[in-house]
Amino acid sequence: MPTLTRTSTTEMEVTSIRLERDLKEKLKELSGNQGYQALIRDVLWNYVHQRSGDYAPQLSHSDIRATIAATAQQEERCALTGKIIRPQEPMLLGLTTDGVMMPLSADSFVD
């Protein structure tokens, strides 16, 4: 996940959100020393940046272990270049070093 600029908690607004107990426990497990509220903020900021067009690529070529040819079934955004991949366009699925599959544009490995 990209590093985000941290805002002082005194400058944040308090918002209440209801989470299932299991979800909250999983978030606590995944967040480690970061804390689950900071993790939730990171996830929400990543979503906002991706949806608003302010998307910053999350990966580099060295993060990809393998690729699989695929066809987009819905609009995707390349995790390397930020390029939009339209439905029915050829694309790649990239397996990251963390074991996550990410959408990649078909030409993302062309120099």
Side-chain angles (χ1 to χ4, degrees):
M1 223 178 285
T3 304
L4 300 172
T5 305
R6 297 287 177 214
T7 302
S8 166
T9 54
T10 58
E11 296 177 32
M12 294 181 189
E13 291 187 25
V14 174
T15 300
S16 176
I17 182 171
R18 295 189 185 279
L19 303 173
E20 292 87 350
R21 183 171 286 126
D22 290 346
L23 175 59
K24 185 176 175 182
E25 292 306 315
K26 289 290 185 187
L27 288 167
K28 285 181 177 181
E29 289 173 22
L30 293 170
S31 67
N33 293 336
Q34 175 186 22
Y36 79 97
Q37 291 181 353
L39 175 61
I40 290 171
R41 283 192 300 273
D42 283 351
V43 168
L44 290 173
W45 271 119
N46 285 334
Y47 179 84
V48 167
H49 289 300
Q50 189 171 15
R51 291 298 199 164
S52 68
D54 297 336
Y55 184 75
Q58 303 171 14
L59 301 174
S60 68
H61 287 91
S62 63
D63 294 320
I64 304 298
R65 294 173 49 186
T67 59
I68 301 167
T71 301
Q73 298 303 307
Q74 61 187 25
E75 188 172 283
E76 301 284 354
R77 191 177 293 267
C78 177
L80 288 172
T81 66
K83 177 183 173 184
I84 296 289
I85 304 165
R86 306 248 180 255
Q88 302 310 308
E89 280 187 349
M91 63 179 280
L92 300 171
L93 292 174
L95 177 64
T96 69
T97 54
D98 294 329
V100 177
M101 297 293 277
M102 300 294 283
L104 303 173
S105 59
D107 60 356
S108 60
F109 282 91
V110 177
D111 290 330

